[in-house]
C-alpha cells in the first residue's frame, strides 16, 4: 500500500496539486502568524468576524462551566442537553422554518439528509458544481444521479423531462451560494420548476447564512423565498463563527432523520461551547444588522478595487471572490508570491474545482480594516500582473 500511495503522491506533486497543511497562529480577528511572519488572513469563512466576539466567547465559556468540555455521547443517547433544544428553536425561527435539527457538521448533515431521504427509484438532480459533501452524499444514495449545468434552470428542466418515465420522487440538490465561485443558484426558477414538476428541493446555505437578505438570514430571504423549499442545510461554522450544522424542514422530516440518519445517530454530539457560542451569535444578529451591513461595506469596497484593476470576478456577488488563474502551477505561484508579502490565502485546485480553473479564493470579512484591504488589493494586483492575469 505504501508504494502505491507514494506513486500517487508523486503524481499529485507533478500535477502541481500537492497540498500541505500550513500551521498558523491567529493573533487578531484578521491577522495570523505563519512561518514567523504576520499575515492578513484572506481566506477565513468567518464572514461576520464573530469567532472572537467577546460576548460569544463569554457565552462559550459559560456553557463549558455549566455543561463541561464535551458531551461525550451521541444526540440519541445522553447528548441532547437542553441547549440543543434552545438553539434548534432559535435557528428555525431565524430561518423561517418550522423545525430544526442540529448535526455535528455540515458534511455529516448533507450525507445524512440525502442518503436518508432518497430511495432506489428516485432521481437526484444535482448542480455540476455542488460541494463535495453533496456529491459524496449522492454516492451513498441508491437513487439515480443526474447532473445539470451550473446555475442553469433550462438544463435542469431538460434533464427532468428526460427522466419523466421514472416512478420515484424527483429531488433537486443545490448550494444557494457556491462555495468556490461565490455565485448564486437560480432559486426563483428552481422554485417555479418545483411547483411545475412537484420536485423536492434541498438547498445548502452554508455560505449564505448571516450574510444575505435584509435580516441576514440567508439566500432564501434575499429571493423572498424563506422556508419555500423542502429541506435546507446550513452551518454554524462560517458566518456564525462557531462549529456545527443544522437541517431545517417540517416536523415529519426531522423526526425521520432522528430515527434513520446514520450521521446523526452514530456520532458524538457537539461540545457545549459550540452550542453556547452559536446561540449567542444568533441573539446578537437578530437585533442588530450592523454586523451584516459592515461586512457588505467591506465587500463592496474590496470588489470595487479588484474590478477597477480589471480582474474577472465571474458571477460572484458576495464575500467569496474567485480569481481564476487556470493553470495549477500559476495559481500556486500567485499564492506563494502573496504569502511572501504577508497575504495568507490558498490556491484552490482540482479536485476541489474543475480542471483548468485553479484559482485563488479570497474571502472578505467584517473585521478587515480599510488599510488591510488597500494593502491586500495592491498585492493581489501586482501578483496578478506577474502571472499574466492583468
Ligand atoms: C457548501 C458547503 N456545504 C457544506 C459544507 C460542510 O460544512 P462543515 O464545514 O460544517 O462540515 C461546506 C464547508 O466547507 C460547504 O462549503
Amino acid at each position: 500500500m505504501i508504494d502505491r500511495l507514494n506513486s500517487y503522491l508523486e503524481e499529485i506533486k507533478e500535477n502541481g496539486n500537492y497540498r500541505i497543511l500550513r500551521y498558523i497562529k491567529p493573533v487578531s480577528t484578521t491577522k495570523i502568524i505563519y512561518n514567523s511572519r504576520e499575515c492578513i488572513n484572506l481566506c477565513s469563512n468567518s464572514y461576520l468576524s464573530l469567532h472572537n466576539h467577546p460576548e460569544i466567547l463569554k457565552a462559550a465559556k459559560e456553557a463549558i462551566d455549566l455543561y463541561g468540555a464535551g458531551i461525550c455521547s451521541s444526540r440519541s443517547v445522553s447528548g441532547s442537553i437542553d441547549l440543543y433544544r434552545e438553539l434548534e428553536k432559535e435557528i428555525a425561527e431565524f430561518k423561517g422554518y418550522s423545525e430544526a435539527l442540529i448535526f455535528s457538521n455540515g458534511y455529516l448533515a448533507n450525507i445524512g439528509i440525502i442518503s436518508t431521504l432518497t430511495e432506489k427509484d428516485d432521481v437526484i438532480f444535482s448542480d455540476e458544481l455542488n460541494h463535495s459533501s453533496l456529491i459524496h452524499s449522492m454516492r451513498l444514495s441508491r437513487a439515480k444521479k443526474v447532473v445539470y449545468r451550473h446555475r442553469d434552470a433550462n438544463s435542469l428542466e431538460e434533464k427532468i423531462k428526460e427522466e419523466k418515465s421514472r416512478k420515484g420522487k424527483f429531488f433537486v440538490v443545490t448550494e444557494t451560494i457556491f462555495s468556490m465561485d461565490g455565485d448564486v443558484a437560480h432559486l426563483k426558477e428552481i422554485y417555479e420548476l418545483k411547483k411545475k414538476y412537484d420536485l423536492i428541493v434541498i438547498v445548502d446555505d452554508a455560505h449564505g447564512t448571516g450574510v444575505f437578505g435584509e435580516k441576514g438570514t440567508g439566500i432564501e430571504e434575499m429571493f423572498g423565498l424563506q422556508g419555500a423549499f423542502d429541506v435546507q442545510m446550513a452551518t454554524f461554522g462560517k458566518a456564525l463563527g462557531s462549529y456545527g450544522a443544522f437541517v431545517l424542514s417540517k416536523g415529519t422530516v426531522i423526526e425521520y432523520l432522528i430515527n434513520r440518519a446514520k450521521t446523526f445517530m452514530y456520532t458524538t454530539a457537539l461540545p457545549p461551547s459550540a452550542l453556547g457560542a452559536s446561540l449567542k451569535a444568533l441573539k446578537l444578529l437578530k437585533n442588530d444588522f450592523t454586523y451584516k451591513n459592515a461586512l457588505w461595506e467591506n465587500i463592496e469596497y474590496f470588489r470595487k478595487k479588484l474590478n477597477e484593476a480589471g480582474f474577472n470576478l465571474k458571477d460572484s456577488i458576495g464575500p467569496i471572490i474567485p480569481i481564476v488563474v487556470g493553470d495549477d502551477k500559476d495559481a500556486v505561484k500567485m499564492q506563494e508570491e502573496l504569502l511572501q508579502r504577508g497575504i495568507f490565502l490558498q490556491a484552490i485546485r482540482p479536485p476541489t474545482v474543475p480542471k483548468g480553473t485553479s484559482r485563488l479564493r479570497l474571502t472578505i470579512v467584517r473585521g478587515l480594516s480599510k488599510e488591510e484591504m488597500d494593502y491586500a488589493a495592491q498585492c493581489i494586483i501586482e501578483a496578478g500582473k506577474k502571472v499574466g492575469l492583468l
Side-chain angles (χ1 to χ4, degrees), residues 138-185:
M138 287 185 265
R139 293 205 184 117
L140 290 175
S141 162
R142 293 165 70 221
K144 180 173 180 187
K145 295 96 194 165
V146 175
V147 174
Y148 62 89
R149 274 199 307 274
H150 182 50
R151 301 169 67 226
D152 188 336
N154 291 332
S155 163
L156 171 58
E157 184 162 19
E158 267 167 38
K159 304 275 177 186
I160 291 170
K161 285 182 183 158
E162 284 167 20
E163 299 298 328
K164 230 171 47 203
S165 60
R166 282 183 78 93
K167 60 178 178 350
K169 304 217 172 295
F170 284 11
F171 288 75
V172 175
V173 173
T174 182
E175 289 178 48
T176 56
I177 173 152
F178 287 83
S179 60
M180 293 299 136
D181 291 76
D183 51 4
V184 174

Side-chain angles (χ1 to χ4, degrees), residues 105-107 110 131 133 175 179 204 206-207 233 235 238 244-245:
N105 63 48
Y107 212 101
N110 277 339
H131 188 257
S133 55
E175 289 178 48
S179 60
D204 175 336
H207 295 272
M233 193 291 300
T235 73
K238 302 187 194 304

Side-chain angles (χ1 to χ4, degrees), residues 17 19 326 328 348-358:
N17 238 325
R19 290 158 193 237
D328 299 353
I348 311 283
R349 291 157 288 162
T352 310
V353 291
K355 241 183 173 2
T357 71
S358 284

Side-chain angles (χ1 to χ4, degrees), residues 279-294:
L279 199 50
K280 178 53 85 175
L282 281 178
K283 286 188 172 154
L284 286 178
L285 297 182
K286 209 158 93 174
N287 304 315
D288 189 351
F289 303 144
T290 57
Y291 296 96
K292 197 207 72 169
N293 294 343

Side-chain angles (χ1 to χ4, degrees), residues 335-355:
Q335 171 207 299
E336 292 299 335
E337 170 80 24
L338 287 166
L339 206 48
Q340 297 293 324
R341 301 194 57 185
I343 307 297
F344 188 81
L345 42 71
Q346 309 294 335
I348 311 283
R349 291 157 288 162
T352 310
V353 291
K355 241 183 173 2

